[in-house]
Amino acid sequence: MKIKNRESAGNILAETIKDVLKKDARQDIIVIGLPRGGFVMAKIIATKLSCSLDMMISKRLRAPHNEELAIGAVAEDGTTYLNKSLIEELKISDEYINNEISYQLQEIKRLANMYYQGKKSFLDRLQITIKEKTIVIVDDGAATGSTIMATVRSLRKTHNPKRIIVAIAISPRSTVDLLKNEDIDHVEVITSPVDTNFRSIEQFYQNFEQVTDNRVLDIIRTAIK
């Protein structure tokens, strides 16, 4: 099955997670999008469910000589998730990992300055706290799950939310299983192919055009009016 685009995925997930959220008051739910594509979907879900919208920036840690392969991820506050078995298999040094973490933290800082516009976070300007809320983390796909894992660990460590739900459009079954073994209360996924049928997130979308920073900023401006 191919999903038409991110907007379609957002609408589908908004419907499918309704039952999971039925016991939560709408003011106690925060939908967090992972930029860029996940934030487009999160805006749709937050609007349809009448919930608050937020953003967290996590960046994947790239394998040497293969930027598309994630060996882990780092969140805004420096919380890291490392795929230790892959790191051992590829014989990646601690020096390389530390340098990659430093590089991605600088990239996170650059994006945060652009998106948050001087605030500590997107929600900081709205004076909404995450503690004791139900959090829905949204992304347009999870190939390895690294950025979601880093985000979940950061949220648990820093904010102590009541529940964490992950809503993703595409993810191979091994990654869904990995997420379910993390400290996540529920994983909602539209399409979860067997690993042998999975090559990329893009193959399961009819339209997977790149989301620009300007589009993210347009959503932010609309959300904080």
Side-chain angles (χ1 to χ4, degrees):
M1 182 185 81
K2 283 203 171 189
I3 300 169
K4 183 178 179 182
N5 51 30
R6 292 183 183 87
E7 289 75 14
S8 177
N11 281 305
I12 291 168
L13 286 169
E15 288 298 317
T16 58
I17 63 172
K18 275 182 178 178
D19 281 348
V20 183
L21 299 170
K22 63 184 177 184
K23 293 182 179 179
D24 295 276
R26 287 297 176 258
Q27 66 268 24
D28 292 334
I29 302 170
I30 300 175
V31 181
I32 292 179
L34 302 188
R36 300 179 180 87
F39 191 61
V40 172
M41 292 168 52
K43 175 61 166 66
I44 292 168
I45 294 169
T47 299
K48 281 191 164 291
L49 300 182
S50 301
C51 304
S52 296
L53 173 68
D54 198 3
M55 172 194 296
M56 285 184 69
I57 306 168
S58 292
K59 297 290 288 182
R60 72 166 180 248
L61 304 176
R62 304 163 299 175
H65 317 300
N66 185 355
E67 292 192 355
E68 296 304 312
L69 179 62
I71 59 170
V74 60
E76 290 176 26
D77 64 352
T79 298
T80 57
Y81 161 74
L82 298 176
N83 185 330
K84 292 182 180 178
S85 60
L86 183 57
I87 288 168
E88 288 176 7
E89 179 186 335
L90 297 176
K91 297 181 172 58
I92 301 172
S93 69
D94 289 344
E95 181 183 11
Y96 175 89
I97 294 169
N98 290 333
N99 287 339
E100 178 66 4
I101 289 171
S102 296
Y103 174 83
Q104 295 301 347
L105 282 172
Q106 286 300 313
E107 180 65 6
I108 287 172
K109 184 177 179 180
R110 182 187 72 81
L111 291 172
N113 286 338
M114 184 194 317
Y115 295 153
Y116 303 159
Q117 299 169 17
K119 301 293 184 180
K120 287 185 291 185
S121 71
F122 175 51
L123 272 184
D124 184 46
R125 74 190 74 218
L126 303 178
Q127 298 182 321
I128 297 172
T129 58
I130 290 175
K131 189 175 182 180
E132 292 304 313
K133 298 283 199 303
T134 290
I135 304 301
V136 181
I137 299 172
V138 181
D139 206 356
D140 53 14
T144 65
S146 295
T147 53
I148 292 175
M149 299 279 272
T151 303
V152 168
R153 292 182 181 188
S154 174
L155 282 167
R156 290 288 187 202
K157 182 174 75 175
T158 308
H159 297 289
N160 190 32
K162 182 173 70 175
R163 287 199 300 160
I164 293 180
I165 293 161
V166 169
I168 43 181
I170 316 293
S171 187
R173 290 183 189 174
S174 62
T175 298
V176 173
D177 291 340
L178 182 72
L179 292 171
K180 287 179 177 177
N181 287 326
E182 187 67 14
D183 195 6
I184 296 169
D185 296 280
H186 179 81
V187 178
E188 189 73 30
V189 59
I190 298 172
T191 299
S192 183
V194 295
D195 289 35
T196 51
N197 292 338
F198 180 85
R199 296 187 306 277
S200 68
I201 300 296
E202 185 175 0
Q203 81 183 90
F204 294 93
Y205 279 92
Q206 293 177 26
N207 182 338
F208 196 65
E209 64 184 12
Q210 184 177 0
V211 177
T212 64
D213 287 327
N214 283 337
R215 186 171 181 195
V216 172
L217 291 168
D218 284 343
I219 294 171
I220 291 172
R221 282 190 284 268
T222 302
I224 63 175
K225 282 182 180 177

